[in-house]
Every structure is written in structure tokens, then in C-alpha cells.
């Protein structure tokens, strides 16, 4: 853990039909946001989220066809392979209000979105493969 200074906030939407993960990745790379926090709400026409199985160390994807509400989207921007990388978890609800969620995967298409991205200045959070989990986690820790 280290200290970060708030730099700026970007608020807006991505166009109808955008792939959510791809659209956010392109946005942070274009804006050169290297450390940040992402929040959002909206709706999807098709969603793909995953559960990371700690035993197999693999993502199991789940697909939600048809309209779902994005009740909450939360994530961060850090550095992987030298480039800004987006990591998002998302909560979705179906027409009965049942909630599902997971790690956002490619293939999630937006129907609507309202996104807030906060950019911070400070030491870059760089991802690297972690031997305990198999995931690409932050190398920065506490104490570091
Ligand atoms: Zn995740």
C-alpha cells in the first residue's frame, strides 16, 4: 500500500452495443490512465462474467443472454505488460431482481452505461503472475 493523489475524474457513457471490457480498456489506454478506479451502472444486452475456481485456477464463464441491469460495476486500472489494464467486477440483475455477478469477461455488450473513472497519481501498480493463485496480481503490497 502506498499513497496516491487524486488527479481527475472522467464521467460519461460508452456507445450502445460497445463491448464493455474492450471499451473501458480502449478508453483508459487512450486517456493514458495508468492508475485508477472505475464505477458504473447501466444495462447489458448480453453479459459474460466468470468465477475463478481456486482449485483448477481457471475462470469458469457464465453467460446472461437478454437484458440485465448493471446494479454495480467496480474495478481498477493498473499496469500489465506495460500497458493500462482494466479489472472489473460486476453485479447484474435479471427481470425478477435476482442478482448474479462475477469477473467481467469479453463479450458483454452495453445497452446503456453511466461510468465514472477516477485517475490517481503515484507509484504504478504493476501486475505479475502470482504463484499462489495463478492470477496476475499487483506486485506492490504492504509492507512492500
Ligand atoms: Zn476479477
Amino acid at each position: 500500500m502506498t499513497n496516491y493523489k487524486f488527479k481527475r475524474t472522467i464521467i460519461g457513457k460508452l456507445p450502445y452495443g460497445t463491448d464493455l471490457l474492450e471499451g473501458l480498456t480502449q478508453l483508459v489506454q487512450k486517456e493514458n490512465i495508468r492508475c485508477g478506479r472505475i464505477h458504473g451502472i447501466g444495462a447489458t444486452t448480453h453479459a459474460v462474467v466468470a468465477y475463478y475456481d481456486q482449485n483448477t485456477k481457471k475462470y469458469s464463464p457464465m453467460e446472461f443472454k437478454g437484458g440485465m441491469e448493471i446494479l454495480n460495476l467496480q474495478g481498477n486500472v493498473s499496469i500489465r505488460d506495460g500497458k493500462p489494464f482494466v479489472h472489473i467486477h460486476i453485479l447484474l440483475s435479471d427481470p425478477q431482481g435476482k442478482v448474479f455477478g462475477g469477473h467481467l469477461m469479453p463479450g458483454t455488450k452495453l445497452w446503456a452505461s453511466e461510468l465514472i473513472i477516477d485517475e490517481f497519481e503515484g507509484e504504478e501498480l504493476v501486475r505479475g503472475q502470482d504463484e499462489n493463485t495463478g492470477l496476475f496480481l499487483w506486485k506492490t503490497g504492504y509492507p512492500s
Side-chain angles (χ1 to χ4, degrees):
M1 301 264 184
T2 177
N3 293 313
Y4 291 88
K5 280 192 182 145
F6 173 75
K7 190 172 175 192
R8 64 173 167 157
T9 299
I10 293 174
I11 302 178
K13 66 173 188 179
L14 288 170
Y16 176 90
T18 301
D19 183 293
L20 178 53
L21 187 58
E22 196 177 289
L24 285 171
T25 300
Q26 283 175 5
L27 192 158
V28 299
Q29 289 183 351
K30 184 168 159 259
E31 293 289 332
N32 198 31
I33 296 171
R34 301 179 71 82
C35 181
R37 169 170 61 191
I38 301 177
H39 298 278
I41 56 175
T44 60
T45 55
H46 187 105
V48 187
V49 302
Y51 172 83
Y52 190 73
D53 187 313
Q54 296 179 4
N55 297 312
T56 63
K57 296 185 177 172
K58 285 195 172 119
Y59 282 106
S60 319
M62 291 164 270
E63 227 174 320
F64 299 95
K65 295 170 183 168
M68 298 286 274
E69 293 284 319
I70 301 173
L71 300 184
N72 190 42
L73 171 166
Q74 174 152 306
N76 57 59
V77 185
S78 57
I79 302 298
R80 180 169 166 178
D81 301 325
K83 288 186 293 194
F85 175 84
V86 169
H87 182 199
I88 302 287
H89 287 186
I90 190 167
L91 287 176
L92 299 161
S93 79
D94 74 4
Q96 283 73 45
K98 277 193 187 156
V99 177
F100 303 90
H103 174 101
L104 180 67
M105 301 292 278
T108 299
K109 302 289 183 186
L110 283 174
W111 190 75
S113 61
E114 298 180 355
L115 302 163
I116 302 177
I117 303 174
D118 294 324
E119 182 180 7
F120 302 106
E121 279 176 335
E123 189 189 329
E124 286 189 344
L125 292 160
V126 177
R127 290 183 182 275
Q129 191 149 30
D130 175 73
E131 61 178 71
N132 291 320
T133 64
L135 291 165
F136 281 78
L137 300 180
W138 292 335
K139 289 298 183 188
T140 309
Y142 183 84
S144 59

